[in-house]
Amino acid sequence: MPRMRMNQAITAAIRDEMAEDDTVVVLGEDVAAAGGVFKTSVGLLDEFGPNRVRDTPISEMAILGAAVGAATTGLRPVAEIMFVEFFGVCLDQLVTQAAKLHYLTAGAVTVPMVARASVGAGRGFGATHSQTCETWFTATPGLKIVSVWDAAGAYGLLRSAIRDDNPVVFLEPKCAYGNRGDMVRGEEGILPLGEAAVLRSGDEVTLLSLGQMVPVALAAAQMLEAEGISAEVVDLRTLRPWDRETVLTSVARTRRAVIVEENPASGGWGHEPASVIGAELFGELLAPVHRVTTPDVPVPFSRELELNYLPTPEYVTSQVTSLCNTARSPHPWWEEPS
Amino acid sequence: MATQSRTELLAAYRTMATMRAFEERMHIEFAGGGVPGFVHLYAGQEASAAGVCANLTDHDVLLNTHRAHGPAIARGADIFAVAKEIYCRGEGLCRGRGGSAHLHDTKNGLWAANSGVGSGVALGCGAALAARTRGTGGIAVALVGDGAVNQGVVSEGLNLASIWKLPLVVVVENNGYGEATAAGYAIAGGGIARRAEAFDMPGVQVDGSDYFAVFEAAAAAAERARRGKGPSLIEVEVTRFFGHFEGDAQTYRSRDEAERARRERDCLANFRRTVVAEGILDAGELDLVDTDVADLIDRVYAEAEAAPYPPDDELMEFIYADSL
């Protein structure tokens, strides 16, 4: 079983799809000659040439617009938007065009494209290059949204995303690009969109997470075990459509749910599964559905502040322990109990 | 003078007369309360779509504007399905999902408008790139209005088309107003066509009341795109006979502007005058086309008004390309 860094796994996924399907093309800022600022397209230009691997100007609207136009006329573009925040200049092309054209045309066109972006805090990139922004996309039917954190997941899900006939937003935590992990390359390594993964079994609480909060949840589960609390860890992987069945099956058994999110408490992606879990399993829960998030603040630049901003395994552990012991949602660290 | 045959010119007249009659009737039906939603009428601008589309094949992609009815007809979309779409019916061109502004017809190379008004230029880059990469021989034509040219996406798209030498023609229909704001107020730099120079592509301004001028400019730009020479921009000066949308009180322009345009800048009247004076077509056969078209429009509206709405159980269709 090969080991790869996550950015190498991403490159491998694009490479393998390009080798199988000559309609797959790559475009974005610095993706060709430079191999991507996060080295997620190294070697693709040499192997596939400048017609299929294209550097663009700093023109996000043109990048995504061209991807939509090309996707509706026979290509499968993989577009890179360097930082997820830059979707702020091209949401129109994504939300109003890519996500709508299949519907507006009553299915006459499909929009098979992937819009990849780096996300997340932890690397000192400051307030404008460190968010995750999943909820910019979650309220848009027509989009699929994937978030990854390891080599195997990135490879398997990106290959599925490129093969998918719908526009897929593919989010990659920048701190995870260097993560080395075991992976399966080739057809067997492909992972379906829309399916969550149970990464650790447990009986007393389900930790539901996504992106780079998954390893935090896994580490917390380990600590909880030492405290005598058995935690199940579910990696949601795809936010739209999200895997209700796996999540509800897990929580129906553990009867407690904690959602671990890297986004501000207000309006984070966890509201949706929290609401569904609460509605579907209300009478069976032993505690309120609880969300562990970052505070409602821009991502701080200063390293010390930034490390406090992100949920840590210790913090998740203390929150889960409190929930399990009291059957009440604990306050977050930044709020004094009233 | 145009290089089109007599038959082609008669077809061009029929296309323009059909667009005109369709919109004149739509104006009446809308005022009567029979048309749902929101419509933008193309009357007055017919020579633009007709002159451009006469240079396109089914392999080419026209990215439409929200003033969509005329270009859809010019592209050869089924006019019955166009009307039914505007009337929200299940047999409409997009089965009632697109509406007046988003008429789409893949087989005729008609792409639905994108609503952000300028994005057709960026989408057109992608369609042009796909045509070249796949070797279809096709080109892309992005139709936008004067109101779109100050959007950043237009500049981004023009730049990308130029550096990649894409087979793209950008047609800007300048009807003098971006919604209610005068183009003369909103557009810096001495005109739209001049902006092409900054992107190292040909930019021409043509009189949209002159079918032949539009046809020739579009022919040159399409030819250039097909020969791999890169993109072009055409600014077509037109006057819309109605408001930005039906119901627009048009307080931003003088009461007689549209009436004067009908008297002095009517592309259909100009076309008729030219072809008759040059002895290419005779007035009788044009009259016959008018009669035919009037009858067609009656049938189109009668059928649209009687057509069934999409069934309720189709509400959740067409969200994703495969079932979830």
Side-chain angles (χ1 to χ4, degrees):
Chain A
M1 188 178 280
R3 280 177 73 76
M4 275 192 188
R5 294 186 190 279
M6 189 176 86
N7 55 357
Q8 295 170 324
I10 287 165
T11 309
I14 301 170
R15 188 257 157 220
D16 290 353
E17 284 302 315
M18 290 185 83
E20 281 197 13
D21 179 352
D22 62 12
T23 67
V24 178
V25 298
V26 171
L27 71 166
E29 296 158 17
D30 302 332
V31 297
V37 292
F38 295 109
K39 302 298 174 197
T40 50
S41 47
V42 174
L44 298 182
L45 175 64
D46 288 343
E47 185 171 357
F48 299 104
N51 279 333
R52 294 181 62 195
V53 184
R54 287 177 174 269
D55 280 325
T56 65
I58 300 175
S59 298
E60 285 80 5
M61 291 184 279
I63 294 168
L64 279 199
V68 175
T72 58
T73 52
L75 296 183
R76 283 185 184 272
V78 180
E80 180 172 309
I81 299 297
M82 199 177 289
F83 292 93
V84 72
E85 287 86 352
F86 302 165
F87 276 109
V89 293
C90 55
L91 268 181
D92 186 49
Q93 284 69 37
L94 185 70
V95 165
T96 308
Q97 289 142 44
K100 300 293 189 289
L101 274 168
H102 182 69
Y103 179 79
L104 283 178
T105 63
V109 298
T110 55
V111 192
M113 60 178 274
V114 179
R116 301 176 37 243
S118 72
V119 299
R123 219 171 140 177
F125 281 38
T128 63
H129 292 62
S130 302
Q131 300 168 90
T132 56
C133 299
E134 293 95 348
T135 52
W136 285 10
F137 316 111
T138 46
T140 298
L143 287 183
K144 293 189 177 183
I145 305 155
V146 177
S147 188
V148 297
W149 63 278
D150 69 342
Y155 178 82
L157 293 165
L158 184 52
R159 288 202 66 178
S160 283
I162 296 170
R163 291 178 177 196
D164 202 280
D165 279 340
N166 298 284
V168 180
V169 177
F170 198 87
L171 304 175
E172 305 161 4
K174 61 181 77 64
C175 283
Y177 280 129
N179 286 357
R180 254 183 216 287
D182 292 336
M183 57 165 296
V184 180
R185 189 158 181 181
E187 288 288 325
E188 321 77 74
I190 296 177
L191 300 169
L193 303 188
E195 286 187 19
V198 180
L199 299 184
R200 180 191 169 106
S201 298
D203 300 324
E204 292 168 289
V205 59
T206 299
L207 306 185
L208 175 61
S209 197
L210 184 76
Q212 68 173 336
M213 287 299 101
V214 174
V216 171
L218 283 168
Q222 190 100 33
M223 292 178 177
L224 287 163
E225 188 179 348
E227 301 198 12
I229 296 173
S230 167
E232 181 145 302
V233 177
V234 177
D235 177 1
L236 200 51
R237 287 182 172 166
T238 307
L239 251 184
R240 181 180 261 282
W242 67 279
D243 184 353
R244 289 180 177 220
E245 190 183 339
T246 297
V247 172
L248 292 175
T249 302
S250 172
V251 180
R253 203 166 45 72
T254 63
R255 302 172 75 186
R256 295 183 187 90
V258 175
I259 305 173
V260 186
E261 304 165 44
E262 179 187 357
N263 55 206
S266 304
W269 64 262
H271 282 300
E272 166 68 11
S275 147
V276 171
I277 294 166
E280 294 288 328
L281 299 172
F282 179 70
E284 294 155 57
L285 296 175
L286 297 175
V289 180
H290 184 61
R291 295 174 55 233
V292 178
T293 67
T294 70
D296 279 343
V297 63
V299 184
F301 169 69
S302 162
R303 180 153 184 81
E304 287 309 305
L305 292 176
E306 188 182 29
L307 291 178
N308 284 337
Y309 165 89
L310 282 171
T312 60
E314 293 78 10
Y315 175 58
V316 174
T317 302
S318 74
Q319 291 267 298
V320 173
T321 306
S322 173
L323 181 84
C324 291
N325 290 342
T326 66
R328 288 175 180 274
S329 265
H331 288 273
W333 63 264
W334 60 89
E335 253 178 39
E336 288 301 314
S338 50
Chain B
M1 197 59 222
T3 53
Q4 289 185 286
S5 69
R6 202 179 164 286
T7 312
E8 287 166 334
L9 288 173
L10 195 59
Y13 182 78
R14 181 180 292 271
T15 299
M16 290 194 288
T18 306
M19 290 190 231
R20 175 69 56 84
F22 186 89
E23 298 292 60
E24 299 280 14
R25 177 68 171 269
M26 187 62 73
H27 176 70
I28 292 165
E29 298 297 335
F30 190 92
V35 182
F38 205 56
V39 293
H40 307 82
L41 303 188
Y42 196 72
Q45 306 188 185
E46 294 86 350
S48 174
V52 169
C53 292
N55 287 286
L56 304 182
T57 74
D58 292 348
H59 295 300
D60 302 323
V61 169
L62 179 91
L63 299 111
N64 205 353
T65 75
H66 55 280
R67 202 171 296 289
H69 312 168
I73 292 167
R75 209 65 186 99
D78 172 11
I79 192 171
F80 287 88
V82 167
K84 288 173 189 170
E85 184 62 31
I86 298 164
Y87 275 82
C88 308
R89 307 305 163 116
E91 297 160 6
L93 202 57
C94 303
R95 301 176 66 169
R97 274 35 171 217
S100 162
H102 301 291
L103 302 169
H104 180 95
D105 185 5
T106 304
K107 73 175 188 306
N108 283 300
L110 174 74
W111 253 238
N114 51 77
S115 129
V117 299
S119 283
V121 180
L123 268 66
C125 286
L129 178 67
R132 191 171 69 195
T133 305
R134 298 173 63 225
T136 66
I139 66 171
V141 177
L143 196 59
V144 296
D146 55 279
V149 301
N150 296 314
Q151 281 198 314
V153 68
V154 173
S155 299
E156 290 191 9
L158 290 172
N159 185 62
L160 195 69
S162 183
I163 65 168
W164 287 355
K165 271 188 172 289
L166 294 173
L168 175 71
V169 179
V170 177
V171 177
V172 183
E173 295 182 325
N174 182 353
N175 63 21
Y177 301 93
E179 303 196 13
T181 300
Y185 165 84
I187 299 171
I192 295 164
R194 286 184 59 184
R195 293 190 177 186
E197 192 184 332
F199 297 104
D200 196 24
M201 67 176 75
V204 296
Q205 188 181 43
V206 298
D207 177 1
S209 71
D210 179 352
Y211 169 84
F212 302 99
V214 177
F215 177 84
E216 284 169 20
E223 170 72 2
R224 179 180 148 82
R226 290 189 207 286
R227 287 160 51 95
K229 302 289 186 194
S232 311
L233 185 149
I234 302 168
E235 175 186 359
V236 186
E237 287 186 295
V238 291
T239 306
R240 54 169 153 80
F241 290 172
F242 298 111
H244 168 57
F245 55 92
E246 283 306 272
D248 178 0
Q250 302 183 65
T251 51
Y252 51 85
R253 67 177 181 178
S254 68
R255 277 171 180 274
D256 64 343
E257 189 177 295
E259 285 313 312
R260 203 169 60 243
R262 282 182 185 268
R263 286 196 306 274
E264 297 168 9
R265 286 178 48 76
D266 180 343
C267 56
L268 267 165
N270 288 349
F271 183 96
R272 176 184 274 264
R273 194 177 310 117
T274 302
V275 293
V276 171
E278 305 247 344
I280 303 167
L281 299 171
D282 70 62
E285 57 191 334
L286 297 175
D287 292 344
L288 215 55
V289 169
D290 289 342
T291 311
D292 260 9
V293 166
D295 172 61
L296 171 70
I297 296 299
D298 282 344
R299 287 185 288 119
V300 163
Y301 276 79
E303 198 171 298
E305 285 165 6
Y309 288 101
D312 286 345
D313 62 8
E314 277 187 7
L315 178 65
M316 298 305 287
E317 286 187 17
F318 312 123
I319 303 170
Y320 289 97
D322 46 12
S323 56
L324 294 178

